[in-house]
Amino acid sequence: MTEVSHFELGDFALDCGVTLPSARIAYTTYGTLNAARDNVIVFPTWFVGTHADLEWLIGDGEPLDTSKYFVVVPSMFANGLSSSPSNTPAPYDRGRFPAITMQDNVRAQHRLLSEQFDVQKIQLAIGGSMGAFQAYQWGLAHPDLVERIAPCCGAARVSPHCYVFLAGAKAALLADPVYAGGDYETVPDAGLRALGRVWAGWALSQEFFRDGLYREMGFDTVDAFLVDFWEAFWVGIDANDLLSQLHTWQTADISLTPGYDGDLEKALGAIKAKAVASPGQKDLYFPPEDMAWEVAQMPNAEVRPVPGPWGHFSEVGINPACNAFLGNSIRMLLER
């Protein structure tokens, strides 16, 4: 099992105006940092994910090749390993945990890489889903440090349609009276299961369900898929952690970085890193035309949609064809 370390941030000032006392981010590393400290890949986690969800891309001979690169996987705030509602003491515990931005996450990650490892160059900032927002933010905030970015199945700013999807998921959980404003005494099981059913209709494409591809994941029926995959996944997650990261997602926008005043075209145009954006061809959260528009605003970028019916699951390591396509895109980018 990969060892998880923690980087102590101390009293960490957040964009919302709150200073989070004794903040920390969890991280894992793979491979060896070279003497020049310039063989680094940073791979932030996605929504409620941990390093374990990303390891399918990492290793000797894998797309993120640990025989060449030092791969750092920092955990997002509120994922249960870094500072989160579930592990922060009063007064910022549970539902009182402060609002976190994508910029907060990347600022903390930059401190980790600069203070803990004295990194001189980042060869690639890569991330999927919520990690894609962070990859864009790395490219924008640190243009002289980051050589390449690879946002996968994500965006630089949450779209209105994606915002609505997330609002529906939140509402399903908050409707459970057991949630009690975050001070629940028992797990809000009904709300978490309802959220899982909302999510199930968005994560995979219509074609996925039409062709019964849930059978490839080991489920004989749609109802079995709903109960044994979707409901089972969400009931294992702390509800306050989940809602904190949902807020971060709903408010994600790289153009809120100081100096850009909400101008997304300007922010994207300032990313000088070489970039390959990899949307899922049938992703309902982040459709490929949205990422294509983002790429068109960037000076050194191209879009390579991952083909197939796997929707947002195009980048989670489940389907071999998706994995091979995405791996080839990453290798191609690292050779530039």
Side-chain angles (χ1 to χ4, degrees):
M1 182 177 293
T2 306
E3 182 180 356
V4 178
S5 301
H6 288 87
F7 177 71
E8 302 296 335
L9 295 159
D11 294 342
F12 188 70
L14 301 168
D15 287 341
C16 68
V18 171
T19 295
L20 186 62
S22 303
R24 56 181 359 203
I25 57 170
Y27 67 95
T28 53
T29 66
Y30 309 81
T32 303
L33 183 63
N34 65 11
R37 300 181 181 273
D38 65 357
N39 67 330
V40 177
I41 292 174
V42 60
F43 194 179
T45 56
W46 55 49
F47 178 57
V48 300
T50 71
H51 60 282
D53 299 303
L54 309 180
E55 289 181 336
W56 67 275
L57 271 172
I58 304 168
D60 191 352
E62 298 297 334
L64 305 183
D65 190 345
T66 50
S67 70
K68 300 178 181 178
Y69 299 106
F70 180 62
V71 182
V72 182
V73 178
S75 284
M76 290 185 68
F77 286 122
N79 81 332
L81 298 178
S82 294
S83 289
S84 306
S86 61
N87 62 25
T88 297
Y92 297 121
D93 59 321
R94 311 188 81 178
R96 290 163 289 277
F97 194 72
I100 302 290
T101 66
M102 290 295 181
Q103 286 84 353
D104 290 329
N105 276 289
V106 171
R107 195 165 61 253
Q109 293 162 20
H110 181 260
R111 281 191 52 192
L112 163 67
L113 292 181
S114 60
E115 296 175 23
Q116 183 73 17
F117 297 110
D118 190 26
V119 166
Q120 299 301 302
K121 187 67 68 176
I122 294 173
Q123 296 299 327
L124 177 67
I126 180 173
S129 191
M130 279 183 81
F133 290 103
Q134 295 166 83
Y136 278 117
Q137 182 64 32
W138 265 106
L140 177 63
H142 302 287
D144 296 327
L145 184 65
V146 177
E147 290 286 300
R148 302 167 187 85
I149 66 169
C152 309
C153 295
R157 171 195 283 168
V158 72
S159 71
H161 187 241
C162 189
Y163 182 96
V164 168
F165 148 57
L166 298 171
K170 288 170 67 174
L173 174 54
L174 293 172
D176 187 339
V178 171
Y179 177 68
D183 288 324
Y184 44 88
E185 296 182 2
T186 59
V187 172
D189 184 82
L192 288 165
R193 290 181 184 276
L195 182 148
R197 287 178 175 255
V198 171
W199 217 276
W202 285 83
L204 294 146
S205 71
Q206 294 92 341
E207 182 181 348
F208 171 92
F209 285 99
R210 186 167 59 245
D211 293 347
L213 296 180
Y214 46 84
R215 296 186 185 95
E216 293 187 10
M217 297 176 65
F219 303 95
D220 292 334
T221 66
V222 170
D223 284 329
F225 188 44
L226 286 172
V227 174
D228 297 330
F229 182 84
W230 287 105
E231 291 188 11
F233 176 79
W234 294 107
V235 295
I237 298 172
D238 180 86
N240 285 316
D241 289 355
L242 194 160
L243 286 165
S244 176
Q245 286 207 346
L246 278 172
H247 176 82
T248 302
W249 185 347
Q250 274 194 304
T251 57
D253 183 352
I254 68 166
S255 72
L256 298 180
T257 302
Y260 296 96
D261 302 316
D263 187 336
L264 185 58
E265 289 185 44
K266 181 181 178 183
L268 289 165
I271 298 175
K272 65 182 185 180
K274 300 169 187 174
V276 171
S278 299
Q281 189 177 51
K282 299 291 181 71
D283 193 335
L284 302 179
Y285 309 173
F286 305 108
E289 56 268 28
D290 288 1
M291 289 196 90
W293 179 88
E294 292 171 346
V295 161
Q297 316 311 311
M298 299 165 65
N300 297 304
E302 68 171 290
V303 62
R304 285 175 53 86
V306 182
W310 287 82
H312 197 65
F313 274 25
S314 298
E315 52 89 31
V316 300
I318 289 177
N319 178 258
C322 293
N323 298 351
F325 186 92
L326 187 58
N328 287 338
S329 294
I330 293 166
R331 288 187 174 97
M332 179 185 69
L333 178 59
L334 282 167
E335 290 171 0
R336 292 182 180 173

